[in-house]
Amino acid sequence: MAKTNGLIDTQGNPLRARASQRPVARYMRDTSSGVIASRMVPLIESRDDIRASWQRSAALALDLIKNSGRLRGAADQVIADTVGTGLKLSPTPDFTGMGWSDDQILDWKKIVKKRWARYRASAKEVDFRGKFSLSQLTDIALRYNMAYGEVTGLLEYMPASFRRRYGIKTGTKLCLIPPHRLVQDTNETENLFQGVYQDENGRPIGYLFQERLNGFTSKTRYDAFDRRGRAAVLHVFDPQDALDVRGISVLASAFRSHIQHEKLNDVTLQTSILQNIFAITLTSDKPTMEAFEALETLKSENVKGADDYAEQYVDYLKSNLESAAEQEIMVGDSPQISQLVHGEELKFQTSGIPGPQYFPLSSDLSRITARAIGITHGSFTLDHSSATYSSVRMDNSSIWPVVERRRDRCAVPVERPVYEGWLDEEIFTGNIPFKDGYRAFDANREAILPASLHGPAKPTADDGKSAKAATERLENGTSSVELESADLGIDSEDLFDQRLDLHRRYIDAGMDSPYARRGRGANEPKSGTAPDQEDPQS
């Protein structure tokens, strides 16, 4: 008989598991309760899913933000983290091969930054409707992104006749349009998908907007680019898939958790109110039904004197009830307790809501929503009761790349095309000088237009420790003034110019400059010499 390894039955045959119970090494292996099988979902393209859910998602997001102080505050927090009071421009042109000296480049960049600061702060100059500054328009764009998942608008050039009428000088204007005005129409034969026309390569070439004029609604197509290839339509969104055409609200993945949280709060509050309203109990030592049943038993067994005893007892209870009827207990706006009957006790109960399970569940639901929005749990709930120095540092370290990414993908693409169109116009009109004229700029447009847009400073848990760490990085050569200034939301060139100007003013006035190096650096004493002593050999 051949040797067999493993379990065998009574006849010596090897035991085998039934097919339904055999372990399977594969993905999607379900549990015995069929938890995976119970979740039936279709496999569809991301853009089709977005098209089917876009309108409902946008309407629900807008409604939640309007009716939730927490979500409204979260939107403000997103704006504050991403752009602060406004993005700061730092031109980074490449003048290689154009014959520009370093001084000419620095002077040119100073002129650009000064004129841009005036332009972006003027609502009449930057906004097509003349109502908002560029900082305010960027705030609106970030709110659009939170509710709609995208930003739409037109980059317009206002003719000279209108500029004279409004008393303005520049023609470059930004006109933001609510994303729901970009229609949901889809026609595959015309390469139109959810309001966006595409060419055979999938590149956007036009947008179909719904417009209202003098009470009439019409659909108008706008080309994505003008005749010179410059952007004419602003459409900014964060895609989930390479085939995506439109964006969707960042709240879409958190709708369920946020609504569940609202219901949890409502039910908890209502239960607590009910418990507080009915938290007063009146107890009495008066006999219950069992006492009367005992008297009836005595009567039925013909106990001597039972009838008289029962009659006397009933009279006693009757007198007590008549006395109690004259007393009054009122609970309301004007509480009143006149007098309790002998044997009665008035108790005030305490509410048992919220229970110990409420706070962990509430915190978890809040954490889900905060993560979907892209802010920390502490900034979303304003609850820092359990925060420590290490936890705050970890929160900042994990969320700051999200903030920088949102700035780069959502805020900067709104302002950059405005800057590029404005700079083109300024050089063309001669308001900003350019060596060899506009033709030289147009020939080197791609090299001249690049610029960095900086946001607010990176938050820190301890400013002193952060400043010391930055100093150490600069001294050991693992960082630079440009990188450290960027973390603080400061333009390094502006910082240098300010320090240089103030340093010279202090020196010219015969005062000690706060910017003079002390202790270490270029003027550090020779090795072995105390900082406060002069070298005897000098």
Side-chain angles (χ1 to χ4, degrees), residues 388-389 392-393 396 458-469:
T388 62
Y389 175 75
V392 171
R393 285 202 62 188
N396 292 338
K458 179 181 178 180
T460 62
D462 188 314
D463 291 342
K465 293 181 179 179
S466 298
K468 183 177 180 180

Side-chain angles (χ1 to χ4, degrees), residues 216-482:
F216 295 95
T217 301
S218 61
K219 296 179 181 179
T220 305
R221 173 174 175 171
Y222 289 90
D223 292 334
F225 304 94
D226 62 14
R227 291 175 296 179
R228 301 186 61 185
R230 296 173 297 189
V233 176
L234 181 70
H235 187 208
V236 179
F237 66 95
D238 193 6
Q240 302 294 326
D241 186 84
L243 298 178
D244 282 353
V245 179
R246 301 281 297 270
I248 194 167
S249 173
V250 298
L251 290 173
S253 59
F255 283 149
R256 181 171 60 181
S257 62
H258 181 76
I259 294 173
Q260 287 174 339
H261 195 195
E262 286 189 340
K263 288 186 176 181
L264 174 65
N265 289 339
D266 290 342
V267 172
T268 303
L269 178 61
Q270 292 171 6
T271 306
S272 179
I273 291 174
L274 288 174
Q275 285 193 355
N276 280 283
I277 291 177
F278 298 102
I280 302 175
T281 59
L282 181 64
T283 61
S284 174
D285 59 358
K286 300 297 184 295
T288 59
M289 185 60 67
E290 288 79 4
F292 293 98
E293 291 177 352
L295 291 176
E296 292 298 326
T297 302
L298 292 176
K299 289 181 181 180
S300 62
E301 295 181 357
N302 299 318
V303 177
K304 184 178 179 181
D307 292 337
D308 295 337
Y309 179 76
E311 185 178 352
Q312 293 174 4
Y313 191 75
V314 170
D315 291 340
Y316 168 75
L317 290 179
K318 184 177 179 180
S319 64
N320 279 347
L321 291 175
E322 290 175 353
S323 176
E326 297 175 358
Q327 311 304 324
E328 193 174 29
I329 299 177
M330 296 179 59
V331 180
D333 295 336
S334 301
Q336 178 182 350
I337 302 176
S338 56
Q339 185 178 354
L340 296 179
V341 179
H342 176 72
E344 292 180 341
E345 182 181 3
L346 188 66
K347 294 182 179 180
F348 292 88
Q349 308 294 335
T350 59
S351 174
I353 298 297
Q357 298 83 11
Y358 168 79
F359 292 104
L361 178 58
S362 175
S363 179
D364 187 59
L365 292 174
S366 297
R367 199 170 275 111
I368 294 173
T369 306
R371 191 59 181 170
I373 296 172
I375 57 178
T376 63
H377 176 258
S379 61
F380 182 64
T381 62
L382 297 182
D383 179 14
H384 304 281
S385 57
S386 59
T388 62
Y389 175 75
S390 299
S391 66
V392 171
R393 285 202 62 188
M394 288 304 301
D395 279 348
N396 292 338
S397 298
S398 62
I399 206 65
W400 189 245
V402 177
V403 173
E404 291 185 314
R405 180 183 179 278
R406 182 169 56 233
R407 181 187 305 142
D408 184 67
R409 307 290 174 84
C410 299
V412 172
V414 174
E415 295 200 11
R416 188 184 299 281
V418 180
Y419 165 73
E420 294 176 353
W422 167 84
L423 183 60
D424 185 293
E425 179 187 359
E426 290 287 284
I427 295 176
F428 180 80
T429 57
N431 292 326
I432 293 180
F434 196 85
K435 192 175 181 179
D436 298 328
Y438 180 79
R439 289 188 176 181
F441 163 77
D442 194 38
N444 299 277
R445 176 185 301 272
E446 299 300 324
I448 304 301
L449 290 178
S452 299
L453 291 164
H454 304 288
K458 179 181 178 180
T460 62
D462 188 314
D463 291 342
K465 293 181 179 179
S466 298
K468 183 177 180 180
T471 302
E472 293 294 331
R473 287 193 295 268
L474 288 172
E475 291 181 351
N476 61 29
T478 57
S479 184
S480 65
V481 175
E482 288 78 6

Side-chain angles (χ1 to χ4, degrees), residues 44-56 184-188 192-195 246-248:
I44 61 176
E45 288 189 355
S46 174
R47 68 173 192 171
D48 293 326
D49 195 9
I50 291 174
R51 180 166 65 95
S53 308
W54 194 93
Q55 287 184 310
R56 174 61 175 159
Q184 300 294 311
D185 298 2
T186 297
N187 189 336
E188 297 284 353
L192 173 65
F193 190 90
Q194 208 175 352
R246 301 281 297 270
I248 194 167

Side-chain angles (χ1 to χ4, degrees), residues 1-16:
M1 182 177 179
K3 184 178 180 181
T4 304
N5 295 325
L7 298 176
I8 59 175
D9 59 15
T10 55
Q11 285 77 30
N13 300 318
L15 292 175
R16 298 182 181 275

